[in-house]
């Protein structure tokens, strides 16, 4: 199969020579892996020998980052280093990256991402760094395109609509999407077409609950239906599924505010109320509450349904 065309979201970047560093933030923070994969495909397709590394926070602590980036390889012309979330890095590591980029090594490419929007926007002014904070719609579309192609490479057809459903569910994360695609293809068992029911069965709390239907009942304040769906969801959910549910509800709200979908609109006041609750749920699930994710979510749902 010929090398994939660059995702439109990265087409400008991939149309030229590799830059010393790239930063994705905002809704694009979860696309760092896709950017690395896209550069790998382009360079290998052009016959350029490369090496690709994915560093963790532990790697940053163990190694001398600058020494590693400045040490050319005997085996490759370009080395791609995908780094951890800058919001999770120590200040010393962020400062080291900035200092390194004052005079970067031509054979090294750094791919960074930041989930803290304000911090990442401040970091984006660093020299020799290209940055972007794409809108969520563009980020989801890029993931969906990757999912369609990955399914095709696995010998199956995945429609754009089903790919968008999967991309929305995993929460705009290339790593999560890549992992789920493999599960879905295995579940489909060699069938020519992967359908939305397969995705629900594998990825959406074992297929018992459609998170977007749950979001619709929440918007309507249909307490009985909403809680019934949530408790079915919770019966099979893993802790990480609640973060995915938060992303799915947020996506549903944004699409309704933009007048999309067939379930009707949502008033700005109701949307703002739910967005505040989702933000609070996110903070509490990340450590501000000693309750389990399921308990946190149910308490906040009850407050929105009264």
């Amino acid at each position: 199969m010929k090398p994939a065309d660059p995702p439109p979201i990265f087409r400008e970047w991939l149309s030229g020579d590799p830059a010393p560093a790239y930063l994705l933030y905002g809704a694009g923070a979860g696309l760092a892996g896709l950017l690395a994969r896209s550069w790998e495909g382009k360079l290998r397709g052009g016959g350029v020998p490369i090496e690709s590394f994915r560093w963790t926070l532990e790697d940053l602590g163990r190694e001398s980052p600058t020494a590693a980036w400045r040490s050319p390889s005997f085996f490759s012309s370009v080395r791609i280093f995908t780094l951890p979330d800058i919001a999770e890095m120590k200040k010393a590591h962020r400062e080291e990256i900035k200092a390194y980029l004052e005079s970067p090594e031509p054979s090294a490419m750094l791919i960074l991402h930041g989930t803290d929007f304000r911090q990442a926007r401040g970091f984006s002014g660093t020299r020799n760094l290209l940055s972007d904070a794409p809108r969520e719609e563009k980020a989801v579309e890029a993931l969906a395109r990757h999912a369609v192609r990955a399914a095709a490479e696995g010998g199956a057809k995945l429609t754009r609509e089903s790919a968008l459903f999967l991309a929305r569910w995993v929460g705009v994360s290339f790593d999560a999407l890549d992992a789920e695609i493999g599960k879905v293809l295995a579940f489909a068992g060699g069938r020519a077409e992967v359908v939305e029911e397969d995705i629900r069965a594998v990825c959406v709390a074992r297929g018992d609950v459609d998170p977007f239907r749950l979001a619709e009942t929440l918007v309507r304040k249909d307490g009985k239906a909403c809680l019934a769906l949530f408790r079915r969801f919770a019966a099979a959910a893993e802790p990480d599924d609640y973060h995915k549910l938060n992303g799915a509800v947020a996506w549903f709200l944004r699409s309704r505010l933009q007048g999309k979908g067939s379930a009707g609109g949502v008033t700005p006041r109701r949307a703002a109320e739910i967005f505040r609750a989702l933000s609070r749920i996110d903070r509490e699930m990340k450590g501000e509450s000693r309750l389990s994710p399921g308990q946190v979510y149910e308490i906040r749902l009850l407050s929105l349904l009264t």
Side-chain angles (χ1 to χ4, degrees):
M1 182 177 290
K2 68 177 182 179
D5 292 333
I9 198 170
F10 300 140
R11 191 163 289 159
E12 183 177 352
W13 284 353
L14 274 75
S15 65
D17 294 331
Y22 299 90
L23 169 65
L24 288 159
Y25 63 106
L31 301 182
L34 180 58
L35 178 59
R37 185 79 60 87
S38 300
W39 267 117
E40 290 166 11
K42 177 185 176 181
L43 294 170
R44 287 197 175 109
V48 178
I50 70 166
E51 291 177 282
S52 189
F53 307 90
R54 179 159 190 155
W55 277 14
T56 65
L57 292 172
E58 289 73 22
D59 293 325
L60 281 175
R62 282 196 301 266
E63 304 214 17
S64 170
T66 299
W69 302 332
R70 294 196 185 283
S71 300
S73 170
F74 293 108
F75 308 103
S76 62
S77 302
V78 177
R79 293 163 300 131
I80 301 172
F81 297 87
T82 303
L83 302 184
D85 187 349
I86 62 172
E88 298 177 357
M89 292 182 189
K90 294 179 179 179
K91 182 179 180 182
H93 291 142
R94 293 195 295 270
E95 294 303 318
E96 183 169 6
I97 293 170
K98 290 180 179 179
Y100 162 80
L101 288 175
E102 289 291 322
S103 179
E105 161 60 38
S107 70
M109 177 198 301
L110 307 186
I111 295 181
L112 301 134
H113 69 284
T115 55
D116 183 317
F117 185 89
R118 294 181 65 181
Q119 179 194 64
R121 185 168 57 183
F123 199 94
S124 68
T126 301
R127 287 189 62 189
N128 295 307
L129 173 74
L130 298 181
S131 66
D132 191 19
R135 296 195 309 273
E136 186 176 24
E137 286 184 1
K138 287 189 174 183
V140 170
E141 179 66 32
L143 290 177
R145 285 170 60 93
H146 169 76
V148 169
R149 184 171 184 87
E153 290 174 349
K157 177 184 177 182
L158 180 66
T159 66
R160 179 177 178 274
E161 290 72 23
S162 293
L164 286 169
F165 178 86
L166 177 59
R168 292 165 184 168
W169 172 243
V170 301
V172 198
S173 167
F174 172 75
D175 294 337
L177 181 83
D178 217 32
E180 297 297 338
I181 289 171
K183 296 177 188 176
V184 170
L185 292 177
F187 179 82
R191 283 188 281 110
E193 183 170 356
V194 177
V195 296
E196 191 172 302
E197 285 70 24
D198 296 324
I199 296 171
R200 285 198 178 104
V202 176
C203 307
V204 184
R206 301 181 188 172
D208 291 335
V209 175
D210 181 339
F212 306 108
R213 188 154 60 92
L214 188 153
E216 182 184 345
T217 61
L218 178 62
V219 166
R220 296 200 313 262
K221 282 193 174 182
D222 186 343
K224 183 177 179 180
C226 185
L227 289 174
L229 286 169
F230 174 75
R231 287 166 182 163
R232 282 170 53 197
F233 171 90
E238 299 292 335
D240 190 52
D241 288 335
Y242 293 96
H243 294 282
K244 295 177 181 178
L245 179 62
N246 236 26
V249 174
W251 175 272
F252 179 93
L253 285 174
R254 291 189 186 98
S255 66
R256 291 302 174 267
L257 285 170
Q258 294 165 3
K260 299 178 181 179
S262 59
V266 55
T267 66
R269 182 176 179 179
R270 178 62 173 164
E273 180 184 23
I274 298 174
F275 276 129
R276 285 194 296 269
L278 295 179
S279 178
R280 186 167 182 179
I281 288 170
D282 183 67
R283 293 195 306 271
E284 291 178 339
M285 289 196 300
K286 289 178 178 177
E288 288 190 9
S289 172
R290 295 183 179 180
L291 300 175
S292 71
Q295 290 170 323
V296 167
Y297 224 104
E298 182 155 352
I299 288 169
R300 297 302 161 209
L301 280 183
L302 286 168
S303 71
L304 289 168
L305 292 168
T306 56

